[in-house]
Amino acid sequence: MARVWDAFLTAQDKASLKTRPHQVWGFGERPALVLIDLYRWVFGDRRQPLLEAMKEWPGSCGEAAWDALPHLQRLLGASRAAGIPVVHVTGLHPLDSGVIGWAESPGRSRINTESDPAMAERNRRRFDIVDEVAPLPGEVVLRKSAPSGFFGTLLMAQLNALHVDAIILVGESTSGCVRASCVDGRAYRFKMTVVEECVFDRHQAPHAINLFDMHEKYADVLGVDEVVAHLGSLPRAQTAERIRSL
Amino acid sequence: MARVWDAFLTAQDKASLKTRPHQVWGFGERPALVLIDLYRWVFGDRRQPLLEAMKEWPGSCGEAAWDALPHLQRLLGASRAAGIPVVHVTGLHPLDSGVIGWAESPGRSRINTESDPAMAERNRRRFDIVDEVAPLPGEVVLRKSAPSGFFGTLLMAQLNALHVDAIILVGESTSGCVRASCVDGRAYRFKMTVVEECVFDRHQAPHAINLFDMHEKYADVLGVDEVVAHLGSLPRAQTAERIRSL
Amino acid sequence: MARVWDAFLTAQDKASLKTRPHQVWGFGERPALVLIDLYRWVFGDRRQPLLEAMKEWPGSCGEAAWDALPHLQRLLGASRAAGIPVVHVTGLHPLDSGVIGWAESPGRSRINTESDPAMAERNRRRFDIVDEVAPLPGEVVLRKSAPSGFFGTLLMAQLNALHVDAIILVGESTSGCVRASCVDGRAYRFKMTVVEECVFDRHQAPHAINLFDMHEKYADVLGVDEVVAHLGSLPRAQTAERIRSL
Amino acid sequence: MARVWDAFLTAQDKASLKTRPHQVWGFGERPALVLIDLYRWVFGDRRQPLLEAMKEWPGSCGEAAWDALPHLQRLLGASRAAGIPVVHVTGLHPLDSGVIGWAESPGRSRINTESDPAMAERNRRRFDIVDEVAPLPGEVVLRKSAPSGFFGTLLMAQLNALHVDAIILVGESTSGCVRASCVDGRAYRFKMTVVEECVFDRHQAPHAINLFDMHEKYADVLGVDEVVAHLGSLPRAQTAERIRSL
């Protein structure tokens, strides 16, 4: 099967990969859907080509974000229908916490969000999860201030409380917070599935190569059709019973 | 010097303690003040004896909480005057996060906050930091859902960002979240100071013995006079310079 | 039922406890036995009264350690018979890692293990798990350098890999590493059971009060008879099947 | 300046990068050198081309590993001369711990190290740090069982004990454990420097793109000349004094 990363690998990369079969992790028995950073800052308020969008929304991922949305909505719907836990992770706003952000440093210039009122308004909305995939009442929302959804959050505790053994991972960016969350999820020994159409990135080569890295080392990178089909096969009653009995 | 825990130790405890000198950690060079769980749920809205207070506020610490307040205000003022970092830690409300609380379990009955509107109103305010020691704009506020202020929060990252090497620890309860935060702080190798008049607990024996445990193993348990005097001796300019240069 | 901590609580403590029923956590479905710090440093090489033992073994817990041994052996046997995971946690020796110990600080004098060859020899053996409860081949052994068995170890990852949902916790000291591990275990949302006859401490009042604290906040503190009976009731085949399928 | 990742980026990637200046983190004031996974398993016993080497050493990184060695030796020498802390991180062997490895799963075939005695012997040596960069007595050696050097280890505690504020990161693989350690280091708010000639990977495209990712998001990816020059400029006496005073 052709994969998005094939075009970026070198001849030697491909030769070494041929020397052994690819390993598959498989789905677990009690999966959770974890959505990373589906917030306004990377979408902006409307679909625009990347370089246009970045003028107003410097963190934009351009059309890649909007292309992922229908797939995300489909997967989220299937997860809710299957009754598996859904965890939304977004940013902890410095204005709410006072915490020094992980991307801040004196040598690094920040976006000036004070002199430009429109930018200040966008900045205040930066970590709002977009309406299309907004949490339902009762769904868990965690706020982080590091690349990984596990770092400095209750994610591990919450998944353990729910007896989750596998994570279906989506969101952005492929080469940033999704990648970091995937590594930590595997470090904690969850079975990890990354849904290819449901992750996106501003940069094309890093998107492809980080999918490769995750598929080689930490996760199964699968298409949304396959994951939705799997969710449809889960025994719904058992799932509901499990959560009720916690 | 007589200590609050003396009355609770056994003769054998005292005999074994006499066989070696008590060890002192000392203050560090770049301390931060960390305040644990100074929220409405343990104060209630007014000073009342413990058993009275628990009728309306089941999590109350009674008069012990109110007795600590002037000492906490004095220490907080001295910390701000010294220019050291101040970090407030309080609870992450289940209504805001959906996270299953660390004290929840199907075998444990919860306070019914739905059938009683007054209790529901108090429950909504449970993690509001009380006005007397409220955060100033710019001070860090972290929200936790575990006993320790480090667990599932940005506390370690924030202290590392500020190059803190010592923690002055206050709040409640002595035998719960203060103790847990003290253990984690020492595990991370911070020099720990617990300020005796600025920690409190619903239960008297656990208050005393947890002070003993922390003093024996993890921290110096000091009086507020000594800590305030130390804060007054810190080189203010150096502190300000350090934070500016981050 | 009379409990060991009753004698240490004050009248007010007892009054406030009477205002609400004690909450019970219950056993989980997939428990693991976690043994904390059953190493030579707290036993010494033979049973001696505490003050005698401390002359050669300054970390000794005296006869309390040796009294716990038969109960520990019984519980360990029952756990192995039930086929539940067994995890041994002991110290990471500074001589093996170079790590600065959590109890070390310039203001704190250390045992001089260089000038006294016999002390140096005992120090080298300090973290050896005693023969009576030694790990079997294939049982997990983790090495820590902090009070909690979770801090800086693979304990959470290993328990998650095995789909454990409950911890049966034993070892020493009640007021130190057992307490710290219990708090972290609950923070991660495991159901915690502390086995009273299988934990011990140098100090009597802290032993009793830390049992109270754990029983009130984080765990069920149960007798070894009850825990062994529960282990005997577990469906052995299911347990074995689960581990095989990982 | 031409960078190794330029050849792998797409036209759109380059266009979006041009819209804003690259941000620089800068060196900290109290750096430590952290060496990741410089063990036998990726070197083998002699220099061989990748595809040859993988026949005997399935985890080999081929000539890329051996090419990095003189640079690693130079940097390690300069770090020791500067008196900065040096931390070696390697694998925690399953034979020593019983822990289920992060790369193990029932759907993934493992190297059969039992039927082939030569492979079994190589497997026993897999996490031995190679002689050329072996730890000196007193240098810290941490053992991990996850991609990141921080996960389940004492790394954060040890760096905090030494008041480190910056990490000079080297080792392998660029796209695996180096990348994971870099992300966690930044999450904890260390200033991160990755030394380009001192990291390596089996795969060429992932090596380049992971350097790009780290340089864009988490670290400065610098040449070994620049880092060695910086180490030479550090005030040695101050460093020594700091460690003595801990």
Side-chain angles (χ1 to χ4, degrees), chain B residues 25-43:
Chain B
W25 296 96
F27 291 108
E29 292 178 25
R30 297 177 301 281
L33 177 67
V34 176
L35 307 104
I36 303 288
D37 290 352
L38 293 168
Y39 47 57
R40 188 58 63 189
W41 196 243
V42 297
F43 284 88

Side-chain angles (χ1 to χ4, degrees), chain B residues 1-64:
Chain B
M1 184 177 68
R3 301 300 303 247
V4 64
W5 50 77
D6 293 343
F8 295 91
L9 297 176
T10 67
Q12 178 178 301
D13 292 346
K14 290 175 185 169
S16 75
L17 288 165
K18 273 190 198 149
T19 63
R20 72 180 70 163
H22 177 72
Q23 305 285 333
V24 174
W25 296 96
F27 291 108
E29 292 178 25
R30 297 177 301 281
L33 177 67
V34 176
L35 307 104
I36 303 288
D37 290 352
L38 293 168
Y39 47 57
R40 188 58 63 189
W41 196 243
V42 297
F43 284 88
D45 283 326
R46 68 189 193 284
R47 183 187 186 94
Q48 281 183 297
L50 178 61
L51 298 183
E52 281 305 299
M54 287 176 68
K55 293 174 188 169
E56 287 199 348
W57 296 90
S60 173
C61 288
E63 292 170 317

Side-chain angles (χ1 to χ4, degrees), chain D residues 95-108:
Chain D
L95 296 176
D96 292 332
S97 67
V99 168
I100 297 171
W102 65 266
E104 294 177 31
S105 185
R108 294 168 70 90

